[in-house]
Amino acid sequence: MFEDKTLVCKDCGKEFIWTAGEQEFYAEHGFENEPKRCKDCRAAMKNSTRGERQMYDAVCASCGKACKVPFQPREDRPVYCSECFAKMRQN
């Protein structure tokens, strides 16, 4: 039903093969659009969007230690260091 298809990458302009297996995968998962980028450009795009996380300084509401968290702490909600947070999740 599916046959290999040659597509052109919109970023680098190189031709790449969209295999019959990949087309079948797309169809099974309900994807309607053909890929626009080759595998190398897709990987480069994923890596560029996954930058370093911004970390914020905070003080643990349980043990009082200084810690860093990946979200902006709010004064109306407690913040826990990773050790205290793990202990809380176990209970």
Side-chain angles (χ1 to χ4, degrees):
M1 180 172 161
F2 297 103
E3 292 182 18
D4 289 359
K5 192 174 187 180
T6 301
L7 302 175
V8 177
C9 178
K10 79 175 206 172
D11 287 348
C12 68
K14 293 181 185 175
E15 290 185 348
F16 65 97
I17 304 295
W18 188 30
T19 66
E22 291 169 331
Q23 292 174 48
E24 186 176 353
F25 176 85
Y26 271 54
E28 287 174 359
H29 289 84
F31 302 140
E32 296 178 3
N33 299 324
E34 297 178 346
K36 303 286 184 211
R37 294 176 178 87
C38 65
K39 288 182 182 181
D40 291 338
C41 288
R42 279 197 313 259
M45 184 169 223
K46 280 184 182 179
N47 290 336
S48 70
T49 58
R50 291 185 185 160
E52 191 70 26
R53 262 186 156 174
Q54 182 175 358
M55 300 297 277
Y56 298 90
D57 292 322
V59 176
C60 178
S62 181
C63 70
K65 288 193 316 187
C67 59
K68 293 200 178 274
V69 292
F71 55 88
Q72 180 74 50
R74 296 182 358 197
E75 292 191 24
D76 63 329
R77 307 224 23 181
V79 174
Y80 301 100
C81 67
S82 57
E83 293 168 5
C84 291
F85 185 74
K87 287 177 189 174
M88 289 177 54
R89 290 193 74 184
Q90 289 175 349
N91 295 335

